[in-house]
Amino acid sequence: MSIIPNIQNLIVCRSLLEDGIIKKFITRLKENNHSDLKNALIYELIDKAESLNLSGNLLSSYIVYLMAQGKNIAAVMTEKSQGTIGSSLYRAFINDMEIIYPLLKASPSTYFDTSLLDDYQSTLKCNNLSIIDLQDKVKTATSPKILADTFIDYYRTYGFGDIANFRAFRWNDTKKLIGIRHFDKMSIDEIIGYEYQKSVLLANTEAFLSGKPANNALLVGARGTGKSSSVKALANRYFSHGLRLVEITKNQLVSLPQIMETLRQSSRKKFIIFLDDLSFEDFEVEYKYLKSNIEGGVESKPDNVLIYATSNRRHLIKETWKDRGAENDDIHRADTVNETISLSDRFGITISYLSPNQEEYLDIVLGLAKKYNLNISAEELRAGAIAWEVSHSGRSGRTAQQYINHLLGKN
């Protein structure tokens, strides 16, 4: 029972005491014979385990989850101070770890008179690799100081809260970043072909992550060639390097200054604002917000933000022959033409994803067949792929994937 006052003496991690389950756990320790409270607490921990996909020592897993959310001064200051907190705060954090350490190491049966929570396995497995890695390191920590260093290293690498949990975000109607829970797991290596295009994109992104000059990028070309997948794959590849993706729609460009100011606050992280399938009709004016924020506005773009866009059009704003013809009643006709192409020019890099020729298309098909272990001869695959693209949407990576999906459905 001597552990009770220690929990209440938390300083840096005092926000843990505001959690409903932790409050009930402290009450459970004080009222050891309160069986109704014990059963309610066991239920709530199991409920959290199933909703958050927590396994193992459930009390320890839940406390580690709360620590990963980072509602403590050490996590906040690790983010604000570029990864190193002050010596006084560090000592105070270690002091809290001396309180938390025995809780993480003890079996839940010590407090609950049942082994149900000692090695609980949730129905769905956790797919958050950063949390899994953190829990593994916590298990092997042999002292409060090592435990403190483990959490600080986690905050330094991944951040805390949603920034640590999600690779990609959306900007919602309440003007907040919302994590995308089921984000595409695409790897850049799964995109077959387009090696030059991928190398340019990777080099620019790696320069950005290392603090070197980098450019906003426009990926332009035929539909289904892997433009969007290439950008999404970056968030998976460089997640542990601090990269996050923020997807916004054309209609949200009016909020771009607010979005950038929000991202500026998370200076330890790098963000790619992703505009997918971008184009504007000549009557749409949202592009002016994008132009201003890429280059030319009064307020500079944050150093930790780049803009990547994909489009089927090289010139993002629709231009008609009327814009160039004699019937155009605009006195300064050249200015009108320049206006329609100036947005594309603001992207420092333009990467072209052309439709594959037949051999490139067949290489994609063969590569996908190998990935899915399809037991079909190369000759049969080639013949079927050619017939498929003729009767469908032409040659592209998307068409190749659809053909492979068709074969997988038959087998």
Side-chain angles (χ1 to χ4, degrees):
M1 294 303 181
S2 62
I3 199 171
I4 299 169
N6 284 344
I7 298 175
Q8 295 169 328
N9 285 339
L10 288 172
I11 298 173
V12 177
C13 303
R14 196 157 188 81
S15 61
L16 286 179
L17 303 180
E18 300 171 5
D19 180 76
I21 289 180
I22 299 300
K23 284 182 179 178
K24 289 179 182 177
F25 176 63
I26 293 172
T27 303
R28 161 67 183 160
L29 292 175
K30 290 179 178 178
E31 303 176 18
N32 194 41
N33 295 321
H34 201 316
S35 60
D36 287 344
L37 178 61
K38 180 194 76 171
N39 292 333
L41 188 50
I42 291 172
Y43 163 77
E44 289 194 35
L45 279 168
I46 290 177
D47 184 54
K48 286 292 185 182
E50 293 298 338
S51 62
L52 300 172
N53 302 336
L54 303 177
S55 294
N57 178 329
L58 214 47
L59 181 61
S60 174
S61 294
Y62 184 62
I63 293 174
V64 170
Y65 167 78
L66 293 177
M67 290 292 296
Q69 297 313 295
K71 295 180 180 179
N72 63 69
I73 307 169
V76 173
M77 294 314 299
T78 300
E79 178 71 24
K80 288 186 176 181
S81 65
Q82 301 298 307
T84 304
I85 63 175
S87 58
S88 296
L89 178 57
Y90 181 57
R91 288 197 300 272
F93 191 53
I94 291 176
N95 180 73
D96 276 12
M97 293 304 101
E98 290 174 351
I99 297 171
I100 293 173
Y101 183 81
L103 276 174
L104 299 180
K105 296 300 179 179
S107 297
S109 54
T110 305
Y111 311 108
F112 294 102
D113 304 323
T114 177
S115 60
L116 273 175
L117 309 180
D118 287 357
D119 188 22
Y120 188 87
Q121 300 300 314
S122 61
T123 303
L124 301 177
K125 299 303 179 184
C126 180
N127 59 6
N128 188 330
L129 298 180
S130 60
I131 288 287
I132 294 172
D133 182 57
L134 176 61
Q135 293 192 340
D136 288 342
K137 289 179 178 177
V138 165
K139 287 178 186 177
T140 59
T142 55
S143 71
K145 182 181 182 301
I146 293 175
L147 186 62
D149 291 340
T150 297
F151 283 119
I152 290 172
D153 185 61
Y154 177 84
Y155 301 143
R156 182 185 298 119
T157 303
Y158 298 104
F160 59 89
D162 284 351
I163 288 293
N165 293 335
F166 298 104
R167 287 164 164 73
F169 298 82
R170 290 192 180 94
W171 185 255
N172 75 350
D173 294 337
T174 62
K175 310 301 182 186
K176 291 183 179 179
L177 292 174
I178 302 298
I180 299 174
R181 186 169 298 277
H182 303 291
F183 182 64
D184 194 336
K185 296 179 181 179
M186 170 66 67
S187 162
I188 197 78
D189 297 326
E190 292 181 80
I191 302 170
I192 301 171
Y194 300 99
E195 298 305 322
Y196 171 75
Q197 290 85 342
K198 291 188 294 183
S199 68
V200 172
L201 191 64
L202 291 174
N204 189 64
T205 305
E206 288 173 2
F208 174 52
L209 291 172
S210 62
K212 298 176 182 178
N215 286 297
N216 302 302
L218 174 63
L219 286 67
V220 61
R223 65 189 187 276
T225 50
K227 302 183 298 295
S228 300
S229 295
S230 295
V231 178
K232 293 175 184 177
L234 297 174
N236 293 319
R237 187 182 184 98
Y238 297 114
F239 175 66
S240 63
H241 294 75
L243 184 66
R244 303 294 183 269
L245 201 68
V246 179
E247 185 173 14
I248 67 173
T249 65
K250 179 170 60 177
N251 294 333
Q252 292 174 324
L253 286 173
V254 65
S255 299
L256 197 52
Q258 186 177 354
I259 295 170
M260 286 194 172
E261 186 56 35
T262 299
L263 301 181
R264 191 192 300 271
Q265 306 307 312
S266 297
S267 58
R268 284 276 303 163
K269 295 292 170 285
K270 302 284 189 177
F271 297 93
I272 290 175
I273 292 178
F274 178 39
L275 292 154
D276 193 23
D277 197 19
L278 185 65
S279 66
F280 299 92
E281 298 300 320
D282 53 2
F283 58 83
E284 293 178 310
V285 298
E286 290 90 348
Y287 74 90
K288 294 180 183 291
Y289 295 100
L290 181 56
K291 278 180 61 178
S292 176
N293 282 275
I294 289 181
E295 181 185 331
V298 174
E299 186 173 9
S300 64
K301 181 173 65 65
D303 292 337
N304 63 330
V305 175
L306 280 183
I307 297 174
Y308 285 3
T310 68
S311 180
N312 295 332
R313 290 181 184 173
R314 171 61 180 85
H315 297 303
L316 297 173
I317 306 167
K318 183 178 181 180
E319 182 186 6
T320 66
W321 284 111
K322 180 181 177 182
D323 295 324
R324 295 177 179 265
E327 68 273 20
N328 186 349
D329 59 4
D330 191 340
I331 295 175
H332 301 288
R333 189 166 59 217
D335 289 349
T336 300
V337 174
N338 286 336
E339 175 74 2
T340 63
I341 65 175
S342 62
L343 177 56
S344 299
D345 290 344
R346 302 264 171 132
F347 290 89
I349 295 177
T350 299
I351 307 174
S352 297
Y353 281 68
L354 303 177
S355 293
N357 60 35
Q358 188 174 88
E359 278 308 306
E360 290 168 337
Y361 166 70
L362 293 174
D363 285 343
I364 295 172
V365 170
L366 293 173
L368 290 172
K370 182 178 179 181
K371 173 186 173 182
Y372 293 107
N373 296 315
L374 271 173
N375 188 23
I376 301 176
S377 69
E379 291 74 15
E380 186 178 351
L381 277 170
R382 285 173 176 271
I386 292 171
W388 182 271
E389 62 99 351
V390 168
S391 60
H392 289 75
S393 300
R395 292 191 292 266
S396 71
R398 182 179 298 152
T399 302
Q401 181 67 66
Q402 291 168 347
Y403 172 59
I404 293 298
N405 290 343
H406 168 72
L407 294 178
L408 289 170
K410 289 173 58 178
N411 292 337

